[in-house]
Amino acid sequence: MSLAPPAAPLVHLRVPTDEDALAWHRAFADPEVMEFHGGRPAELSVYEELTARQRRHDAEHGVCLWTLLDDAGQVLGFTGAQPWPHTSFGPAGEIEIGWRLARPAWGRGYASAAARTTLERARAAGVPQVVAMIHSRNERSKAVARRLGMRQAESYATPSGAQAHCFRLEL
């Protein structure tokens, strides 16, 4: 007797609101969540600017880092796609897919389910290819990228000296 794989969780994505800045700030206050994103929780003002920028990306590009909610409406973090934000390193000029979830949401299929929805939305917006820049030690995120069908293409040294792998997927 074979067991069927667990069903993907229901996820909802919305363009971030002003209120989501506080929800993201709370969701990412755990240093373990921030291990591969600078190591420390960021100030609320960082998320206020980030949610505002994502609203602009949605209006201009049809994609952004959307607020990720579970079926009960609980904010779990974000996932989505945005123009790569750096010019000094990495895949400048490309569209990056990414995800960041609160620690209690890890390991439950939310990142993969939401990233699949992101890929559908990016295709619908006419994005031909996405990249995912993932810290070389972030095995969980590399596993999500591989589940999406992404392949590691190149590596970059970040300004902090860490190694990041660039995964690519043609849409």
Side-chain angles (χ1 to χ4, degrees), residues 90-154:
E94 300 200 51
I95 299 293
E96 178 196 29
I97 183 173
W99 44 86
R100 188 181 311 166
L101 278 65
R103 180 67 185 94
W106 290 7
R108 299 173 62 195
Y110 287 114
S112 294
R116 282 187 192 95
T117 300
T118 293
L119 292 178
E120 292 168 11
R121 289 183 178 189
R123 258 187 219 101
V127 174
Q129 173 181 271
V130 294
V131 298
M133 287 289 286
I134 301 173
H135 191 288
S136 63
R137 293 185 296 114
N138 190 339
E139 296 301 325
R140 285 186 223 55
S141 280
K142 289 192 287 187
V144 171
R146 289 184 183 109
R147 278 193 289 279
L148 297 173
M150 301 184 87
R151 299 286 175 248
Q152 183 177 332
E154 64 262 6

Side-chain angles (χ1 to χ4, degrees), residues 28-43 46-47 78 86 89 100 133-138 158-164:
F28 308 143
D30 183 334
E32 193 174 3
V33 171
M34 298 304 292
E35 177 181 4
F36 302 114
H37 305 284
R40 303 183 309 227
E43 298 294 323
V46 169
Y47 296 109
F78 63 66
H86 306 285
F89 80 100
R100 188 181 311 166
M133 287 289 286
I134 301 173
H135 191 288
S136 63
R137 293 185 296 114
N138 190 339
T158 67
S160 68
Q163 281 293 316

